[in-house]
Amino acid sequence: MSRSAIVAYILGTLFFIISCFFSIYYGYKVVTHKLPTESNHLDKYKYHFVLVPEEQDNEYWRLVEKGARAAAEKYDVLLEYVGPKQSNIDEHVKTIEMSAASNVDGILMQGLNDEQFKPLIDRVVEKKIPIITVDTDALNSKRIAYIGTDNYYSGYLAGKAMIEETHGNANVAIITGNFYKNHQIQRVKGFQDALKKEKGIRIITVKESDISRVRAAEKTHQILQDYPEVNAFFGTSALDGIGIAQVVEKYQMRKSITIIAFDTLPETINYIKQGIINATVVQEPYEMGYQSVEMMIDIKEGKKVPAIVHTNTRIMRKEDILKSYMDRRDSRY
């Protein structure tokens, strides 16, 4: 055997060994998709579900998780809450793929970009693992059901609130969490449609925050510099309104800027109480989580479930917060 043939043989052997190593390692990583330590207290359970959020530490998704865990505890379900630390489609996809490889009984997930998620959802469902989309739908996929906000309608409600707060006269900037995520797109569209017939309201610009309060604040500051005529903002994600309010508060512009926000995070509520945020769209993330677990149990037990369940959506203002406080106070007596 020639020297070159021996070298080629050795290199080929090394390549084969390395390939085998990585194949075994990857297989091990998938098969040993471990449960979070907080879930391991359940020694016996009926079903094993995975809830995949947009990002794990997002305060809104923690409320979804809280509802899901309450239902899971009630019905003896082992629930994993796993996903990207920060919004990342590739990590989101990877988490779902690993969950499917672990043969869980059901996956509860946010439906994101149709192009990437439709084939993934279809592949998982074809493997007899049911999927329910939560908060954001993937309508064209084979997902079994969707539970969450009617995002178009919630944007429409925000538009109507903007009309009321500005008396139909405003130059509006929209700050949206993401240009490509279905729920954000639908909220913007609903808002725009609500304002179509209002001759005194103009939408000046739409900017993206990447679902970050820091980025939302940066975009707000830049908008106010580039478009000094802007006197109203709509933030389409839970953190956008907070970022907008921080800038308005810093520059003491609360009397000249109208803000319509989204969700009821504690900071948002505080800004409403202070009169910096005029109104916010209220969703029901706890109910989404709770009902999604109940619905998945029904699916596993062969019961028919509706394809779409819309949770409640409404507008909250300062007077609504005060009324809620008074009602709670009165109920004590």
Side-chain angles (χ1 to χ4, degrees):
M1 184 181 291
S2 66
R3 186 171 182 174
S4 59
I6 293 171
V7 171
Y9 176 78
I10 292 171
L11 290 174
T13 303
L14 285 172
F15 178 77
F16 174 77
I17 292 170
I18 292 169
S19 298
C20 288
F21 171 78
F22 280 110
S23 296
I24 292 168
Y25 176 77
Y26 178 75
Y28 173 80
K29 293 291 284 184
V30 171
V31 171
T32 57
H33 179 46
K34 293 183 179 179
L35 304 176
T37 54
E38 67 264 28
S39 297
N40 288 338
H41 71 280
L42 274 176
D43 296 324
K44 296 180 181 179
Y45 52 88
K46 292 180 180 178
Y47 302 110
H48 174 194
F49 300 156
V50 174
L51 172 61
V52 185
E54 181 178 18
E55 51 184 16
Q56 277 195 32
D57 295 328
N58 182 291
E59 294 172 80
Y60 174 85
W61 275 96
R62 285 295 182 183
L63 291 174
V64 177
E65 179 202 9
K66 188 176 181 180
R69 287 205 182 282
E73 185 174 346
K74 178 178 178 180
Y75 295 107
D76 296 325
V77 169
L78 178 60
L79 180 76
E80 288 189 75
Y81 178 73
V82 289
K85 293 292 184 183
Q86 293 183 323
S87 183
N88 183 300
I89 288 182
D90 292 335
E91 287 296 319
H92 204 118
V93 168
K94 184 179 178 181
T95 302
I96 295 163
E97 288 175 338
M98 291 181 69
S99 299
S102 298
N103 291 316
V104 298
D105 294 307
I107 298 174
L108 314 167
M109 57 168 281
Q110 185 184 37
L112 298 177
N113 184 288
D114 277 343
E115 291 182 7
Q116 285 186 272
F117 276 76
K118 181 185 180 303
L120 171 62
I121 291 171
D122 292 352
R123 286 199 306 272
V124 173
V125 173
E126 284 167 3
K127 292 180 180 178
K128 308 301 181 185
I129 300 174
I131 287 180
I132 292 175
T133 50
V134 181
D135 178 71
T136 308
D137 201 5
L139 189 60
N140 298 318
S141 71
K142 292 182 179 179
R143 61 96 175 110
I144 308 302
Y146 165 70
I147 181 164
T149 299
D150 182 335
N151 285 293
Y152 175 86
Y153 176 66
S154 67
Y156 192 87
L157 283 180
K160 290 298 184 184
M162 180 65 77
I163 294 168
E164 291 179 30
E165 294 296 325
T166 63
H167 305 289
N169 189 8
N171 293 314
V172 182
I174 300 173
I175 296 182
T176 184
N178 190 285
F179 285 145
Y180 307 105
K181 292 182 178 178
N182 293 338
H183 61 314
Q184 301 290 312
I185 293 169
Q186 289 300 310
R187 290 173 190 176
V188 171
K189 188 174 188 308
F191 183 80
Q192 291 171 330
D193 285 352
L195 302 181
K196 272 183 179 178
K197 295 181 180 179
E198 295 298 319
K199 295 181 180 179
I201 297 183
R202 293 191 305 147
I203 296 176
I204 304 299
T205 186
V206 183
K207 299 294 183 181
E208 185 180 35
S209 71
D210 295 325
I211 312 181
S212 159
R213 74 185 69 197
V214 174
R215 291 278 289 169
E218 290 173 353
K219 295 295 183 180
T220 302
H221 184 268
Q222 192 62 50
I223 287 168
L224 291 172
Q225 294 220 331
D226 294 345
Y227 306 98
E229 70 272 27
V230 166
N231 58 5
F233 284 87
F234 171 45
T236 72
S237 83
L239 300 178
D240 293 335
I242 296 170
I244 295 164
Q246 287 173 342
V247 175
V248 169
E249 180 182 36
K250 180 179 179 181
Y251 293 106
Q252 299 180 349
M253 303 174 70
R254 71 176 70 192
K255 292 183 179 179
S256 58
I257 300 289
T258 298
I259 303 174
I260 306 298
F262 223 95
D263 289 321
T264 53
L265 298 182
E267 286 177 88
T268 305
I269 297 300
N270 285 335
Y271 278 125
I272 293 175
K273 288 178 180 178
Q274 295 173 48
I276 297 172
I277 291 177
N278 299 72
T280 192
V281 179
V282 180
Q283 300 188 91
E284 299 288 349
Y286 182 95
E287 282 303 313
M288 292 180 202
Y290 195 97
Q291 291 182 39
S292 67
V293 170
E294 289 187 319
M295 188 180 293
M296 186 63 81
I297 292 170
D298 285 344
I299 291 169
K300 295 302 296 183
E301 293 179 354
K303 299 176 184 177
K304 190 174 181 179
V305 300
I308 295 177
V309 175
H310 285 145
T311 48
N312 292 333
T313 311
R314 59 188 173 86
I315 295 293
M316 176 187 286
R317 294 178 169 86
K318 187 175 182 178
E319 54 265 33
D320 298 312
I321 297 173
L322 294 174
K323 183 178 183 302
S324 177
Y325 169 77
M326 295 299 290
D327 289 344
R328 288 198 304 272
R329 191 193 68 171
D330 292 344
S331 68
R332 296 173 189 169
Y333 300 100

